[in-house]
Amino acid sequence: MLLLPLTLDFMQQALWMGLLVGTVCAVLSCLVVLKGWSLVGDAASHAVVPGIVLAWLMGIPMVIGALVSALSCLVGAGLIERHCRIRSDAVLGIAFTGFLALGMVLVAAVPSDVHFMHILLGNLLGIEGSTRFQLMVTGIVVLGTLMLKFSDLRLYCFDPQQASVMGVDTHRLQFLLTVLLTLATVMALQAVGVVLVIAMLVTPGSTAFLLTRRLAPMMAVAAVSTWLSVLAGIMISFYMDVETGAVIVLVQALLFLLSFLFAPGRGVVFQRMRVHRAIQSDREALRD
């Protein structure tokens, strides 16, 4: 009875799509966390809204509109930053909120039978066949690119100056990482929507960062935590009749909290225990 949801076709499809999207976001989230690009991911997730609406009006795949819109926001913010004295986080904040506002205006102004609220909240249980194909192709492209450029991206994330000295084109890697982040954002929109997509791109990597500092194991831990979150989220949402994407993100947040408290060597509990043992040891030394 407990595994009843996994016997239903639409739940099985949701599980496989959730695992695919979650894997891509988890692996990429490690690079996002190491580079401190959380705000970039947030900007990309909000900037896709006008592109999705315009793509529907033009009759082209929404993933293309979302990709163009997000890249326009990020590249435009980068160009503005180069020619003014305003900090990059402020420029990004202005850019993505402007794009989001434009998207909300378009959603309200365009008469349509399309339920654009799925953009905000996601619809993992209702992904259509053509969209599933787009997600699979996008996932293969992102994961394949990460595998091919893994060494350069690892060096760029940990030490960009050393990468530049070794002849690595850091500007090209930065643009590549921006494109991959945008593609992952567009994928995650199908599962959790604009409101929660940034959590998919930050939480798994943050959880793994507390457990290991090597990039390859970090990606593996992030992926496993996301698989657990997707499975638990789908099962809980089925029995409680709540939004699947929200539950997935909530489980991810719970896993991060557990890592924050109990991560071996780095968790708060272990640190408090280490301090307590040191104090006890000092007291015993003073007594002797």
Side-chain angles (χ1 to χ4, degrees), residues 6-270:
L6 300 182
T7 64
L8 304 175
D9 288 340
F10 76 97
M11 295 296 288
Q12 292 176 3
Q13 293 173 0
L15 176 61
W16 288 117
M17 287 297 99
L19 292 176
L20 172 63
V21 172
T23 301
V24 173
C25 290
V27 171
L28 198 56
S29 72
C30 297
L31 301 177
V32 171
V33 170
L34 290 174
K35 284 295 295 178
W37 272 23
S38 299
L39 184 59
V40 176
D42 196 17
S45 65
H46 288 78
V48 299
V49 180
I52 291 175
V53 180
L54 292 175
W56 179 84
L57 288 173
M58 298 171 63
I60 61 178
M62 291 186 182
V63 63
I64 296 178
L67 180 61
V68 172
S69 182
L71 282 178
S72 298
C73 175
L74 297 178
V75 174
L79 292 175
I80 293 174
E81 179 192 350
R82 294 179 185 177
H83 294 87
C84 73
R85 299 170 60 185
I86 301 176
R87 288 172 56 89
S88 59
D89 56 344
V91 174
L92 267 179
I94 295 171
F96 83 74
T97 51
F99 270 73
L100 178 61
L102 174 61
M104 293 297 97
V105 171
L106 291 175
V107 168
V110 174
S112 168
D113 56 353
V114 177
H115 191 29
F116 284 116
M117 286 303 293
H118 288 161
I119 301 173
L120 299 178
L121 301 176
N123 188 27
L124 183 59
L125 299 180
I127 298 178
E128 300 177 352
S130 59
T131 305
R132 288 197 296 270
F133 177 75
Q134 292 177 9
L135 290 178
M136 287 188 289
V137 172
T138 305
I140 292 172
V141 169
V142 173
L143 293 176
T145 304
L146 286 173
M147 291 178 62
L148 289 174
K149 305 296 291 185
F150 178 78
S151 298
D152 289 343
L153 287 172
R154 177 176 57 186
L155 182 59
Y156 170 65
C157 289
F158 279 104
D159 194 346
Q161 293 182 346
Q162 179 65 23
S164 181
V165 170
M166 294 179 62
V168 177
D169 191 340
T170 55
H171 294 292
R172 182 174 297 179
L173 280 180
Q174 180 177 350
F175 181 75
L176 174 63
L177 191 56
T178 302
V179 173
L180 295 179
L181 178 60
T182 305
L183 289 173
T185 299
V186 174
M187 291 183 66
L189 286 176
Q190 306 294 328
V192 297
V194 169
V195 178
L196 300 173
V197 67
I198 186 60
M200 294 281 286
L201 291 169
V202 174
T203 309
S206 300
T207 301
F209 185 78
L210 293 173
L211 299 172
T212 179
R213 295 297 172 87
R214 296 179 57 194
L215 184 56
M218 187 177 172
M219 289 180 171
V221 172
V224 171
S225 70
T226 302
W227 298 341
L228 293 175
S229 302
V230 170
L231 179 59
I234 287 178
M235 299 290 285
I236 294 172
S237 66
F238 178 84
Y239 285 109
M240 297 185 63
D241 192 23
V242 292
E243 287 289 340
T244 306
V247 180
I248 290 174
V249 172
L250 188 60
V251 175
Q252 286 186 337
L254 177 61
L255 291 177
F256 171 79
L257 180 60
L258 292 174
S259 298
F260 172 72
L261 293 174
F262 303 109
R266 300 190 182 98
V268 172
V269 173
F270 282 91

